[in-house]
Amino acid sequence: PGGAVVAKELAEGGRDVVLMEEGPPFGKKDFVTEPGEAMQRILREGGTRASRGNMFIPTMQANALGGGSLINSAICARPPDWVWQKWNNATGVELDGNALAPHFERVERFLFVEPTPLAAQGERNLRFKRGCDALGISSEPTWRNVKGCKGSGECFTGCRNGAKKSTDVSYVPAAIRAGARVYTSVRAEHLIREGRKIVGVTGHVVEPFTGKETHRVHVRPRIVVLAAGCMQTPVILQKSDTLPNNRWVGEKLLLHPGLAIMAVYDSDIDPWHGATQGYHSLHYLKQGIKLEVLWSPPSVLAARLPGLGHDYQRHLTSYNRIAPFDVIIAADRSFGSVRAKRNGWDPNISFSFHHDDVKLIQRGLVLLSDICWASGARAILPGLHGVPEELESKAESDILRTMDLKGSDTITAANHAFGTTRMSKTAKEGVVDHEGRCHELDNLYIADTGVFASSPAVNPMLAVMGLADRLANNLLARG
């Protein structure tokens, strides 16, 4: 998403822009709802990418024009102002919510960002609101980059209605109209450095879905903006040996670990109707906890259902009465790293889930449990090792409060990732300065979530797009 913003703004400002994208473009007719096939086609490593460390954590990144905006839930949340102070405390970088507000506003206007309307919510999202209201927990409709959302719950496999304003149907076409040249199925691989400048970018044309390399590609740029994501950008830098003396490239990987609870109701709620994530609660955000509604294809959620044989069948037949709610946390004590493998372009990802952050996510699970009961659930499916597969009363769910939860007891996933090329005041503390320019180079910039100096506390897409808009405007101001 960050790269698309920069491409559009620079092209409209009269710059000659080349946008290189490793993945193919997808139109509405290319989306399939069968998740196995969709993941194989759209996601890196066929959707099997995961971090390894003190536990196994799946993490999904897209390989397609539009990047993560193609298959995320379209949530556009501004980081609260206190996030920028956290960045300052971490690396000395000076950013200000008031100064960034105009850039967020520009992105929001262009992408039709608005609160999810009632007509697109569906009962699944409204049950979450009902539970929060009953407990006095503030909640609100999620702000999303959509126009005409029908609440089909298909964000994860691509919006067949064309309502989601992902960057492949918004920023990229605008960049093309302004004269940008967009090359899909072209993988950027190596940066050629001379002194303090990048003088070339090389790569290959790659066959969609197989990754088979064909023709070589060489671009001779004046300015390079890397926006390959916080897991691919450090791989490019490492394989190119671009910043050999900077110890932060690929370090301080941050994630938003997340867990889900299934609420089971007595009556039908048809959870496949309604925006994928139409409601959330920011009530405990400053404590590092974000609570929200979730949906994904039934065969993906089926992996979370308990039981074997007829017990498992019974849960499958109750899909029309199940609502998944989830918690993500700003795991500020948990860190990882990204390393380029000797062969290929997939990263080696490590991540250590700190015990204190496990306790934080446990608190989030307790809150979700309370929301489930307050919303009228008759049972919950906690999905934790060492806990009964189905809890049938609020008293039974007290085990979620009292148990000594370990990270390995959970089915944790983390699709928000940041920090591997972080912003800092000096090169001793990070990779890029407050604008996104690499400290040691004059013409290399980074415009993805790798520049984050800490968790943004909320979904990261709008944060990175606002920073990208700021970067592009600063480049144009220099002439």
Side-chain angles (χ1 to χ4, degrees), residues 401-444:
R401 288 179 168 83
T402 59
M403 70 180 297
D404 182 17
L405 185 69
K406 300 178 180 62
S408 55
D409 294 331
T410 69
I411 305 174
T412 298
N415 298 324
H416 302 166
F418 356 83
T420 55
T421 53
R422 66 183 191 169
M423 276 188 180
S424 62
K425 190 171 184 178
T426 69
K428 291 182 178 180
E429 295 296 326
V431 178
V432 302
D433 65 16
H434 70 286
E435 288 189 349
R437 181 182 64 83
C438 288
H439 286 293
E440 300 155 58
L441 292 163
D442 296 331
N443 68 337
L444 179 63

Side-chain angles (χ1 to χ4, degrees), residues 263-296:
V264 184
Y265 298 97
D266 284 323
S267 58
D268 293 358
I269 63 167
D270 294 343
W272 43 84
H273 292 154
T276 302
Q277 294 185 281
Y279 242 88
H280 65 192
S281 171
L282 309 180
H283 192 92
Y284 301 96
L285 197 62
K286 201 159 190 178
Q287 299 172 39
I289 297 172
K290 181 174 185 278
L291 307 170
E292 54 193 20
V293 186
L294 181 66
W295 187 247
S296 62

Side-chain angles (χ1 to χ4, degrees), residues 56-353:
F56 178 90
I57 302 180
T59 180
M60 295 185 291
Q61 285 82 47
N63 184 25
L65 188 66
S69 70
L70 194 71
I71 46 93
N72 66 17
S73 298
I75 296 175
C76 291
R78 294 193 193 187
D81 287 345
W82 46 262
V83 162
W84 311 120
Q85 184 58 52
K86 283 177 62 180
W87 289 29
N88 180 263
N89 294 341
T91 66
V93 67
E94 296 181 2
L95 292 173
D96 179 79
N98 291 329
L100 286 168
H103 300 288
F104 291 137
E105 290 168 5
R106 281 166 51 85
V107 174
E108 289 164 346
R109 282 196 303 271
F110 190 76
L111 292 181
F112 304 95
V113 174
E114 292 181 343
T116 303
L118 180 61
Q121 289 288 1
E123 186 65 15
R124 168 175 40 84
N125 288 300
L126 296 179
R127 291 282 176 135
F128 177 85
K129 177 185 184 303
R130 184 185 306 172
C132 289
D133 288 349
L135 296 171
I137 298 173
S138 62
S139 65
E140 61 185 28
T142 54
W143 287 62
R144 300 164 67 239
N145 55 305
V146 298
K147 187 178 183 182
C149 175
K150 297 179 180 179
S152 60
E154 293 183 6
C155 289
F156 178 74
T157 51
C159 184
R160 292 187 297 161
N161 297 320
K164 190 196 302 185
K165 297 306 171 188
S166 48
T167 57
D168 59 309
V169 296
S170 54
Y171 274 90
V172 172
I176 293 172
R177 290 193 295 271
R181 290 170 283 166
V182 177
Y183 295 94
T184 56
S185 301
V186 175
R187 181 174 61 220
E189 296 172 349
H190 291 100
L191 307 179
I192 301 171
R193 175 177 176 173
E194 291 183 4
R196 288 187 57 89
K197 288 194 173 184
I198 301 299
V199 297
V201 179
T202 64
H204 280 93
V205 175
V206 291
E207 186 177 78
F209 314 128
T210 69
K212 179 182 177 183
E213 298 177 359
T214 58
H215 304 75
R216 286 187 57 79
V217 174
H218 189 174
V219 180
R220 296 174 180 84
R222 287 181 54 209
I223 292 172
V224 176
V225 180
L226 282 175
C230 74
M231 294 184 184
Q232 298 303 128
T233 287
V235 168
I236 294 171
L237 293 172
Q238 289 164 358
K239 289 212 170 194
S240 304
D241 201 24
T242 305
L243 302 170
N245 299 318
N246 191 304
R247 68 187 183 92
W248 293 105
V249 175
E251 294 298 327
K252 288 288 184 179
L253 172 68
L254 295 162
L255 300 175
H256 276 168
L259 291 176
I261 280 181
M262 305 276 203
V264 184
Y265 298 97
D266 284 323
S267 58
D268 293 358
I269 63 167
D270 294 343
W272 43 84
H273 292 154
T276 302
Q277 294 185 281
Y279 242 88
H280 65 192
S281 171
L282 309 180
H283 192 92
Y284 301 96
L285 197 62
K286 201 159 190 178
Q287 299 172 39
I289 297 172
K290 181 174 185 278
L291 307 170
E292 54 193 20
V293 186
L294 181 66
W295 187 247
S296 62
S299 56
V300 172
L301 289 175
R304 281 279 284 100
L305 296 177
L308 295 170
H310 290 303
D311 282 341
Y312 184 66
Q313 274 186 322
R314 176 173 60 84
H315 288 297
L316 288 175
T317 60
S318 65
Y319 250 135
N320 56 325
R321 295 184 287 109
I322 289 177
F325 303 149
D326 79 289
V327 52
I328 61 173
I329 65 164
D332 286 331
R333 291 162 290 252
S334 304
F335 301 105
S337 65
V338 172
R339 291 282 179 271
K341 296 178 181 177
R342 181 174 298 178
N343 298 313
W345 292 92
D346 292 322
N348 183 26
I349 308 162
S350 66
F351 186 78
S352 180
F353 200 2

Side-chain angles (χ1 to χ4, degrees), residues 37-75:
E37 182 179 355
M39 291 167 70
Q40 186 65 39
R41 286 161 57 84
I42 297 177
L43 297 180
R44 294 191 177 276
E45 301 181 57
T48 65
R49 175 172 288 182
S51 71
R52 291 160 180 82
N54 58 359
M55 61 181 291
F56 178 90
I57 302 180
T59 180
M60 295 185 291
Q61 285 82 47
N63 184 25
L65 188 66
S69 70
L70 194 71
I71 46 93
N72 66 17
S73 298
I75 296 175

